[in-house]
Amino acid sequence: MYVAVKGGEKAIANAHALLAEKRRGDVSVPEIGTEQIREQLSLAVDRVMSEGSLYDRDTAALAIKQARGDLVEAVFLVRAYRTTLPRFGSADPLDTESMRVRRRVSATYKDVPGGQVLGPTFDYTHRLLDPDLAGCSNDPRRPGNDADGAEETLDDASGVCPKVLSFLEKEGLLPEEEDRGDAPGDLTRQPLQLPADRDIRLQNLARGDEGMLLALAYSTQRGFGSTHPFAGEIRMGEVEVAFRPEELGFPLTIGEITITECETVNKFTGGGDVPASFTRGYGLTFGEGERKAMSMALVDRSLRSEELGETVKGPAQDQEFVLYHSDNVEASGFVQHLKLPHYVDFQAELELVRSLRRAHAENAARDSVFRRAFP
Amino acid sequence: MSAEENIDVSIHNRLHPPMDPVPPDRSLADCPHPEGRSDDIPGKDLRQAEVFLKGEISGHKGIFAEGRPETPGYNFAYLDEQTKRMLRRAILKAVAVPGCQVPFGGREMPMPYGWGTGGIQVSAAIMGKNDVLKVIDQGSDDTTNAVSIRSFFRRVAGIPVTTSTGEATIIQTRHRIPEHPLREGQIIVYQVPVPEPLRWMEPSEKETRTMHALEEYGVMHVKLYEDIARHGEIATSYDYPVMVGGRYVMSPSPLPKFDNPKMHQSPALQLFGAGREKRVYAVPPYTDVRSLDFEDYPFSVQHWDKPCGICGSTDTYLDEIITDDKGTRLYVCSDTDHCAARLASRKDKRGGPDD
């Protein structure tokens, strides 16, 4: 009797074995390599790196393989690994203006210094399934697909592609962001405390679930706390990471990472004695993560409602609502923990409901006796 | 006995590995290289080692498995020493202010949130090499998650584990307090999903922190009163709020209210860890823990009309099991270790096997 619980340990071992088997799938089909995932499922890798908070394409590819392609599970694997890593220090802030740009668009100006560069975007593809891809002959250099030379970067001319929003800053139409000089907080070391400053909010959003941010950003556009955004600039490309070892005192470039950055120009503030000026939302992801970067910028701007003196009425403007529910590792764990046994609590509820029903029946019986006696 | 003395007993100077900026055996964990050998993956040993104890859960004395070597590539008890220190500071603060929720820098653990990551972090922070660990879930040592957590610690800390409440120095639990009374020197670590007792009345953390600071617990009493007005009794059967040390209203984690009286003046140190919410709180030994009630509606615990179907106990918390498709019910002790021990002592008294 009661084997369902006693058999637990053997059941776990069997489940793990079955999981490994399902992960591999049909053995007559060649096994997928992590290099293939890294190279050919690169946007999945980018998402796992962003939400996993760890820039390492190989680790992310391994996590995706191990998670059978479940990206939230892969994010979890990366997070659990990341937390065991020693920290050597913080890099210098990235200089995204010096990015080697592979994609750069602005929706606020028809043309900007540096130009508009589409880069590798889905934006203008027709979403028609391509039967050619079903085979394995999808060399991008096949006839009719002139990929050679398609990739042009902007660094050949001036080397620097100025930030679109800097033109607004120079005109005084957009407040410049200042470095206050204090070290940014770190959610992975310190628990979230509210109200949270913008550094913490941005870190939370950068680690946050893409789906959650997308829905929140969308909700602001549909009227739940509108911030009237324009895509001031979206840029994607490579930036150098500089680290300043204590014993040297000057920065060393330790590598290069791919990032996507989005800055939105949002509704203006001002009035009374203060001249009107635009406001800004900011989004940043590892790799190519344009949907996430844009969503993040919209949500970042929404979360500034309080500091900018706007009424907080939409969920996306509510710090506590957004920051406590954006993390998919936390959310996935807590939602799914409901499948762990709860029979002790349920037993307590069962007893309670039965006793309430008993009391109810007794009351009803007493009432009917009373009514019959005194019609 | 003061709280400090007790903490000292539990987190005393045990032989921890010396701290190095980069532990020499961390090389595997530090440099995963999927391009390299496939066995260069961090946590490989953890994954490939057999997951379970042999011959677990059988006799009445409690199974006692000897410690085994720690898993290479990880620090003792998984967490690094800095993290443990941070956690211990938070725990000390929690012990000093009984029932107060103390934020801590929760880490991502290799188990999902909701699987006991808070309790696991607290246990890891207080664990020494001489500790003996017991893990229960729903009162039982052999539910899947209890098995998994116990084997995790046996693997990464190499400490002995047991199913016997009496033998354990650290008891990690989800949803129950063992029936066997706890003693001085023992630490019970609760896994807590939602540490905030006021959460169902006030969703905002900012607000509830203020309410605790101002000792503003009116809403809780109103809630209990509304229960009585609507149902004729306080309709809370688990996670029943308690007042700790006459100051803080505290969530006892989702214990059935049956267990609430065991928290009052307990000789053991009680630590609560909420991983996802990143809070710890504590009830030091011999502290008042009062379940909230009204003079005319005093607190009461569940009782069953039937005894345990296995050991015949009439004073323990029983689980209801449906044994066939006609809906026949069997009631058995939720605390499996206690039930087995009781059964064994009954057999011993009769001097022969039961039936």
Side-chain angles (χ1 to χ4, degrees):
Chain A
M1 49 146 272
Y2 215 11
V3 282
V5 170
K6 285 270 185 204
E9 41 185 280
K10 207 170 168 200
I12 296 182
N14 287 341
H16 289 178
L18 199 54
L19 179 65
E21 197 181 309
K22 295 304 280 182
R23 177 186 301 124
R24 178 61 184 85
D26 184 347
V27 287
S28 67
V29 176
E31 183 173 345
I32 191 169
T34 50
E35 307 86 358
Q36 287 164 312
I37 295 172
R38 187 188 65 212
E39 295 305 315
Q40 297 170 39
L41 299 179
S42 58
L43 297 186
V45 168
D46 288 344
R47 178 170 175 194
V48 170
M49 290 197 305
S50 278
E51 292 169 31
S53 297
L54 185 72
Y55 195 98
D56 184 340
R57 308 197 72 82
D58 290 312
T59 300
L62 171 62
I64 291 168
K65 177 174 176 178
Q66 189 177 328
R68 302 173 62 195
D70 179 340
L71 298 189
V72 175
E73 178 68 23
V75 167
F76 181 19
L77 285 168
V78 169
R79 291 263 192 99
Y81 168 58
R82 174 195 195 271
T83 196
T84 67
L85 298 177
R87 279 134 204 267
F88 301 109
S90 302
D92 281 357
L94 298 180
D95 178 12
T96 54
E97 182 146 35
S98 67
M99 176 189 286
R100 205 146 46 76
V101 166
R102 280 195 285 139
R103 169 166 167 80
R104 190 264 199 137
V105 290
S106 168
T108 48
Y109 296 98
K110 186 172 184 183
D111 199 6
V112 279
Q116 311 255 17
V117 182
L118 283 184
T121 176
F122 287 119
D123 284 354
Y124 305 102
T125 59
H126 296 151
R127 268 60 166 202
L128 303 171
L129 280 175
D130 180 0
D132 290 347
L133 279 177
C136 278
S137 57
N138 49 66
D139 185 342
R141 283 157 302 180
R142 69 192 164 172
N145 189 351
D146 187 12
D148 286 337
E151 183 120 354
E152 47 170 328
T153 53
L154 287 178
D155 60 344
D156 29 56
S158 64
V160 170
C161 179
K163 293 289 210 61
V164 174
L165 270 61
S166 67
F167 301 112
L168 290 170
E169 287 171 0
K170 278 179 207 142
E171 212 181 319
L173 297 178
L174 181 75
E176 282 187 52
E177 302 295 337
E178 299 160 13
D179 185 356
R180 286 187 315 218
D182 41 357
D186 183 355
L187 275 175
T188 66
R189 302 278 115 173
Q190 297 295 326
L192 179 64
Q193 307 259 22
L194 294 164
D197 280 345
R198 198 168 173 210
D199 54 342
I200 290 291
R201 300 201 304 255
L202 286 169
Q203 185 192 13
N204 178 289
L205 298 180
R207 289 160 58 87
D209 181 71
E210 178 171 324
M212 165 82 175
L213 296 195
L214 177 65
L216 283 171
Y218 180 48
S219 74
T220 66
Q221 289 181 290
R222 288 197 65 261
F224 288 83
S226 175
T227 58
H228 307 287
F230 295 95
E233 179 174 7
I234 297 158
R235 55 167 64 198
M236 182 275 289
E238 279 66 43
V239 289
E240 289 181 347
V241 179
F243 182 70
R244 209 178 281 266
E246 237 172 84
E247 62 273 31
L248 290 184
F250 56 85
L252 295 173
T253 298
I254 55 171
E256 200 178 61
I257 62 173
T258 306
I259 57 166
T260 304
E261 184 188 49
C262 172
E263 289 187 281
T264 56
V265 182
N266 295 69
K267 76 173 171 192
F268 53 86
T269 56
D273 300 336
V274 187
S277 70
F278 290 110
T279 55
R280 174 188 345 229
Y282 187 78
L284 186 81
T285 68
F286 285 154
E288 299 173 47
E290 200 160 289
R291 186 190 299 122
K292 163 91 181 265
M294 293 183 74
S295 304
M296 179 174 164
L298 262 62
V299 177
D300 168 51
R301 173 59 186 82
S302 290
L303 290 178
R304 299 180 65 197
S305 295
E306 212 169 320
E307 74 189 57
L308 295 170
E310 296 161 0
T311 337
V312 173
K313 52 185 187 212
Q317 295 168 309
D318 181 338
Q319 271 200 28
E320 198 163 340
F321 183 82
V322 174
L323 300 183
Y324 266 120
H325 302 119
S326 58
D327 192 288
N328 56 25
V329 178
E330 288 175 6
S332 162
F334 199 48
V335 167
Q336 295 200 65
H337 104 284
L338 290 176
K339 62 195 168 188
L340 293 180
H342 280 78
Y343 46 76
V344 163
D345 318 331
F346 185 67
Q347 180 62 37
E349 287 292 79
L350 212 53
E351 285 303 309
L352 177 64
V353 171
R354 281 179 187 146
S355 101
L356 291 176
R357 288 176 68 88
R358 260 195 311 274
H360 183 265
E362 281 161 17
N363 285 345
R366 207 172 42 237
D367 283 358
S368 78
V369 168
F370 186 80
R371 268 194 226 104
R372 252 178 286 141
F374 307 97
Chain B
M1 179 178 292
S2 78
E4 281 71 18
E5 276 167 337
N6 261 282
I7 260 297
D8 204 27
V9 170
S10 52
I11 312 177
H12 48 88
N13 275 335
R14 286 160 180 157
L15 294 171
H16 285 296
M19 273 181 53
D20 287 320
V22 181
D25 57 353
R26 280 291 295 276
S27 53
L28 279 185
D30 288 347
C31 320
H33 242 286
E35 288 157 21
R37 300 192 329 274
S38 63
D39 56 359
D40 261 2
I41 304 310
K44 179 207 65 154
D45 300 284
L46 204 57
R47 284 195 209 121
Q48 293 183 347
E50 49 169 311
V51 184
F52 308 106
L53 311 186
K54 293 268 190 244
E56 227 177 340
I57 318 302
S58 57
H60 56 275
K61 292 195 190 97
I63 298 300
F64 190 92
E66 290 297 330
R68 50 152 69 189
E70 297 156 36
T71 302
Y74 286 95
N75 193 25
F76 174 77
Y78 186 77
L79 295 175
D80 59 278
E81 294 302 317
Q82 295 291 343
T83 299
K84 288 186 194 171
R85 191 174 300 170
M86 173 275 297
L87 266 155
R88 287 173 194 155
R89 281 197 198 112
I91 292 168
L92 285 170
K93 186 170 171 187
V95 169
V97 194
C100 177
Q101 299 167 52
V102 180
F104 73 100
R107 302 293 194 254
E108 259 115 2
M109 299 300 285
M111 292 84 154
Y113 288 112
W115 264 244
T117 54
I120 294 168
Q121 288 179 78
V122 168
S123 292
I126 62 172
M127 192 173 281
K129 293 203 164 162
N130 300 325
D131 273 312
V132 179
L133 178 72
K134 171 183 166 78
V135 184
I136 52 174
D137 185 346
Q138 312 285 308
S140 165
D141 296 273
D142 43 5
T143 37
T144 44
N145 202 35
V147 170
S148 161
I149 292 172
R150 189 168 52 234
S151 63
F152 173 74
F153 276 122
R154 190 148 169 268
R155 189 132 297 119
V156 296
I159 62 164
V161 296
T162 182
T163 61
S164 157
T165 303
E167 284 169 8
T169 58
I170 298 174
I171 300 165
Q172 183 170 329
T173 178
R174 174 169 172 263
H175 296 198
R176 276 311 308 278
I177 298 175
E179 307 286 3
H180 188 279
L182 303 179
R183 56 174 162 75
E184 275 184 23
Q186 283 184 315
I187 305 177
I188 181 163
V189 178
Y190 299 79
Q191 301 169 200
V192 181
V194 179
E196 180 50 73
L198 306 171
R199 182 62 70 237
W200 313 124
M201 286 135 268
E202 172 51 64
S204 160
E205 173 71 13
K206 217 158 71 182
E207 285 299 317
T208 51
R209 283 188 79 78
T210 312
M211 288 158 80
H212 281 294
L214 300 177
E215 216 175 330
E216 200 182 286
Y217 294 132
V219 284
M220 183 59 93
H221 288 103
V222 170
K223 191 252 170 202
L224 298 179
Y225 169 75
E226 283 180 348
D227 269 4
I228 294 171
R230 191 169 302 146
H231 303 292
E233 61 180 287
I234 293 174
T236 300
S237 56
Y238 63 95
D239 205 3
Y240 191 103
V242 293
M243 171 67 82
V244 177
R247 173 59 181 82
Y248 280 96
V249 166
M250 183 189 93
S251 156
S253 86
L255 294 177
K257 66 178 180 177
F258 181 88
D259 285 338
N260 275 19
K262 295 177 190 164
M263 306 174 79
H264 178 64
Q265 289 288 330
S266 169
L269 170 64
Q270 306 177 64
L271 301 177
F272 299 76
R276 191 177 39 79
E277 300 281 344
K278 299 172 180 64
R279 297 285 186 278
V280 289
Y281 51 100
V283 176
Y286 302 111
T287 302
D288 284 343
V289 178
R290 196 172 56 74
S291 301
L292 299 181
D293 60 358
F294 299 101
E295 274 172 24
D296 46 347
Y297 283 87
F299 174 78
S300 64
V301 298
Q302 293 100 337
H303 61 88
W304 283 258
D305 300 334
K306 295 193 174 73
C308 166
I310 296 176
C311 75
S313 158
T314 52
D315 57 355
T316 52
Y317 192 85
L318 303 182
D319 287 329
E320 176 178 330
I321 300 156
I322 302 172
T323 51
D324 58 27
D325 50 12
K326 286 189 233 92
T328 311
R329 305 293 209 267
L330 174 70
Y331 289 86
V332 294
C333 287
S334 135
D335 184 337
T336 48
D337 173 62
H338 183 76
C339 190
R342 220 184 106 90
L343 189 63
S345 76
R346 255 178 36 176
K347 282 179 192 165
D348 289 348
K349 269 180 215 149
R350 283 191 217 155
D354 202 14
D355 305 323

